[in-house]
């Protein structure tokens, strides 16, 4: 299964480099189901894999001046604050047994995976649907983007997802940023969020650095491939197909954790 896991790590990187998001939401399921890592620990590992991969991917966009650092701060600062508070104060409060109804029990691991599955379904919807938004850029939209940054931060801190599926629509629709710049800026925000989230709670668990770094290296190779492919392929055209793929994975997780 690890061989399939490493192949999936390439896909994570490719999608991040090609469409600026989406790949990070595959990281936790890959770590849990293909590498056999505990779901709680997988959220921590995911932050590192996604953070380093996105950081490497953002370099090529930075060289092409396709990163808006002002917007990255507007969106990123609320995200970072939310991540820090979530990882330090909220996540440790989750009990090992979240819910018990007669013989039906939802453990902390299952609870996190179910949240993740719901996020995957939400992400798939945003990727599949056609964008018909026609918002104007103004201060109110900037405030909305900052608010969405806070939501992304909570989700990143809770389940280890980079949140690119929420960041890019906010940048494009609310702040009217061109898609290429939105992708580059999204990668900077994701890397900032994920790495701060990882190091803020590093002392709370043991890390298998050999495994973590090997997965990260493969994902980095994927994001380099994705960044090169983005020069020839329009990522927007691939989004719906990738969205359907994520939808299937999300439904699989819910089915497996609740009914199987």
């Amino acid at each position: 299964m690890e061989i399939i896991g490493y192949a999936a790590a390439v896909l994570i990187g490719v999608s991040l480099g090609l469409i600026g998001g989406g790949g990070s939401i595959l990281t936790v399921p890959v770590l849990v189901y293909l590498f056999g890592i505990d779901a709680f620990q997988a959220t921590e590992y995911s932050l590192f894999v996604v953070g380093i991969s996105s950081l490497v991917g953002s370099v090529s966009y930075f060289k092409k001046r396709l990163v808006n650092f002002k917007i990255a701060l507007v969106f990123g600062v609320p995200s970072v604050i939310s991540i820090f508070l979530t990882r330090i104060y909220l996540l440790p409060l989750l009990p090992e047994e979240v819910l018990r109804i007669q013989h039906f029990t939802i453990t902390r691991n299952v609870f996190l995976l179910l949240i993740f599955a719901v996020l995957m379904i939400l992400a798939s919807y945003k990727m599949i649907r056609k964008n018909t938004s026609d918002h104007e850029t103004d201060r109110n939209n900037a405030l909305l983007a900052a608010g969405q940054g806070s939501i992304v931060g909570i989700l990143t801190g809770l389940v280890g997802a980079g949140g690119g599926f929420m960041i890019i629509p906010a940048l494009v629709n609310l702040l009217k940023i061109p898609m290429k710049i939105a992708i580059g800026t999204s990668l900077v925000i994701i890397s900032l969020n994920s790495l701060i989230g990882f190091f803020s709670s590093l002392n709370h668990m043991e890390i298998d650095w050999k495994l973590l770094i090997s997965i990260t290296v493969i994902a980095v190779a994927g994001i380099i491939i994705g960044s090169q492919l983005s020069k020839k392929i329009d990522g927007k055209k691939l989004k719906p197909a990738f969205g359907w793929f994520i939808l299937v994975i999300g439904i699989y997780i819910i089915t497996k954790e609740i009914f199987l």
Side-chain angles (χ1 to χ4, degrees):
M1 291 297 284
E2 284 193 3
I3 295 176
I4 301 175
Y6 285 119
V10 176
L11 178 62
I12 290 167
V14 168
S15 68
L16 279 168
L18 195 56
I19 62 178
S24 60
I25 208 163
L26 287 176
T27 308
V28 168
V30 166
L31 292 172
V32 171
Y33 296 116
L34 299 181
F35 287 98
I37 297 173
D38 173 87
F40 186 72
Q41 191 169 31
T43 64
E44 183 81 4
Y45 281 30
S46 174
L47 291 172
F48 185 82
V49 174
V50 172
I52 296 297
S53 302
S54 300
L55 182 63
V56 172
S58 67
V59 172
S60 64
Y61 285 89
F62 173 73
K63 290 180 178 178
K64 300 171 192 174
R65 298 184 179 181
L66 294 175
V67 176
N68 188 321
F69 285 102
K70 182 179 178 180
I71 296 300
L73 286 175
V74 169
F75 205 100
V77 170
S79 291
V80 167
I81 294 172
S82 297
I83 289 169
F84 181 80
L85 294 175
T86 300
R87 298 297 294 185
I88 298 299
Y89 298 108
L90 179 59
L91 202 56
L93 292 178
L94 286 178
E96 288 291 337
E97 190 175 288
V98 177
L99 177 67
R100 175 185 287 273
I101 302 176
Q102 294 182 348
H103 299 294
F104 179 74
T105 303
I106 294 181
T107 64
R108 180 176 64 181
N109 285 344
V110 172
F111 178 70
L112 290 173
L113 286 171
L114 291 177
I115 292 177
F116 214 91
V118 171
L119 287 178
M120 294 183 83
I121 293 171
L122 175 62
S124 69
Y125 169 73
K126 287 182 175 291
M127 290 180 179
I128 293 168
R129 72 170 184 170
K130 293 183 178 180
N131 179 27
T132 57
S133 179
D134 190 28
H135 294 295
E136 295 295 328
T137 304
D138 57 26
R139 186 173 300 175
N140 289 333
N141 282 350
L143 291 174
L144 286 174
Q148 196 156 356
S150 298
I151 296 172
V152 168
I154 293 172
L155 296 177
T156 299
L158 192 61
V159 297
F165 68 95
M166 291 180 66
I167 295 172
I168 290 180
L171 297 182
V172 173
N173 299 336
L174 295 180
L175 303 178
K176 305 302 288 182
I177 295 177
M179 179 58 93
K180 288 287 186 181
I181 296 178
I183 292 174
T185 305
S186 171
L187 289 172
V188 170
I189 295 169
I190 291 171
S191 62
L192 181 68
N193 287 355
S194 300
L195 290 176
I196 288 178
F198 175 79
F199 288 108
S200 68
S201 56
L202 185 60
N203 296 329
H204 295 177
M205 62 181 65
E206 293 184 6
I207 304 292
D208 184 345
W209 285 104
K210 183 178 179 180
L211 175 62
L212 181 57
I213 290 174
S214 65
I215 295 171
T216 304
V217 168
I218 298 297
V220 166
I223 202 167
I224 293 173
I225 294 170
S227 296
Q228 294 301 313
L229 289 175
S230 69
K231 300 175 183 178
K232 303 177 181 179
I233 302 173
D234 187 354
K236 289 189 290 185
K237 294 180 179 179
L238 296 179
K239 264 191 163 185
F242 193 71
W244 284 110
F245 176 67
I246 289 179
L247 176 62
V248 171
I249 300 297
I251 293 173
Y252 168 78
I253 292 174
I254 292 175
T255 303
K256 183 179 187 305
E257 298 302 328
I258 294 181
F259 301 107
L260 299 182

